[in-house]
């Protein structure tokens, strides 16, 4: 499958997840700032500026943790953004840890059948595949597809 297409699909899914978690603009504190940071992060990734995207994602994560706490779905979005940039920089082991944390937050806060949980499972599958752990990748992909 075309890697560029897969990355664009994941970014669109991550953007949709951000909208699901944040809700309407102004519904929660600092959501417009998070939206702006997410747009900057997305644009940097599209331009291939992965180190810049990583810095923006880390800033997004810090802001989400400060605004919403460590176990909030908004924080999980930040974790997924950082993991996405790390994967593009071939730092899959680091990305895996963040994605596992994001999945735990999603399952606890949103439930096992929420679309963001499916996205988290799908992202984990991609990272396991990049780490050549294809059996684990398939397990997570099947779980994601069952939602």
């Amino acid at each position: 499958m075309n890697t560029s297409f897969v990355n664009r699909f994941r970014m669109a899914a991550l953007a949709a997840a951000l909208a699901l978690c944040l809700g309407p603009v102004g519904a929660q504190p600092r959501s417009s700032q998070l939206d702006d940071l997410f747009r900057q992060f997305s644009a940097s990734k599209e331009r291939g500026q992965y180190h810049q995207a990583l810095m923006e994602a880390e800033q997004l994560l810090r802001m989400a943790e400060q605004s919403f706490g460590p176990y909030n779905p908004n924080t999980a979005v930040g974790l997924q953004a950082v993991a996405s940039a790390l994967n593009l920089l071939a730092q899959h082991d680091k990305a895996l840890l963040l994605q596992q944390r994001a999945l735990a937050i999603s399952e606890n806060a949103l439930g096992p059948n929420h679309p963001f949980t499916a996205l988290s499972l799908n992202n984990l599958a991609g990272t396991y595949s990049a780490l050549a752990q294809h059996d684990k990748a398939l397990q997570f992909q099947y779980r994601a597809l069952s939602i």
Side-chain angles (χ1 to χ4, degrees):
M1 183 173 274
N2 183 330
T3 305
S4 177
F5 172 78
V6 171
N7 286 336
R8 276 185 262 164
F9 172 78
R10 285 188 176 156
M11 283 308 303
L14 196 53
L18 179 66
L20 281 171
C21 293
L22 290 177
V25 173
Q28 297 179 10
R30 304 179 95 174
S31 64
S32 64
Q33 289 175 319
L34 288 170
D35 287 340
D36 291 343
L37 267 174
F38 190 82
R39 279 191 282 281
Q40 291 171 13
F41 158 74
S42 298
S44 293
K45 278 183 60 173
E46 283 293 317
R47 290 190 304 270
Q49 298 172 333
Y50 303 137
H51 290 283
Q52 178 68 29
L54 177 59
M55 290 189 309
E56 292 159 350
E58 288 170 338
Q59 185 179 357
L60 174 75
L61 175 58
R62 280 191 302 275
M63 187 179 292
E65 285 180 321
Q66 290 171 356
S67 297
F68 304 105
Y71 306 108
N72 186 281
N74 295 294
T75 299
V77 171
L79 289 164
Q80 290 289 5
V82 174
S84 174
L86 288 169
N87 272 325
L88 289 168
L89 294 167
Q91 297 180 30
H92 306 299
D93 290 327
K94 291 179 183 178
L96 184 67
L97 296 173
L98 298 176
Q99 289 171 328
Q100 289 169 334
R101 183 175 160 210
L103 175 62
I105 292 169
S106 180
E107 287 178 326
N108 288 327
L110 303 171
N113 295 316
H114 191 274
F116 188 71
T117 301
L119 174 67
S120 297
L121 291 164
N122 182 64
N123 289 347
L124 270 167
T127 301
Y128 276 120
S129 181
L131 290 167
Q133 296 181 29
H134 303 295
D135 289 340
K136 284 187 180 181
L138 282 173
Q139 291 172 3
F140 283 96
Q141 193 65 64
Y142 285 138
R143 280 185 60 200
L145 291 171
S146 71
I147 297 175

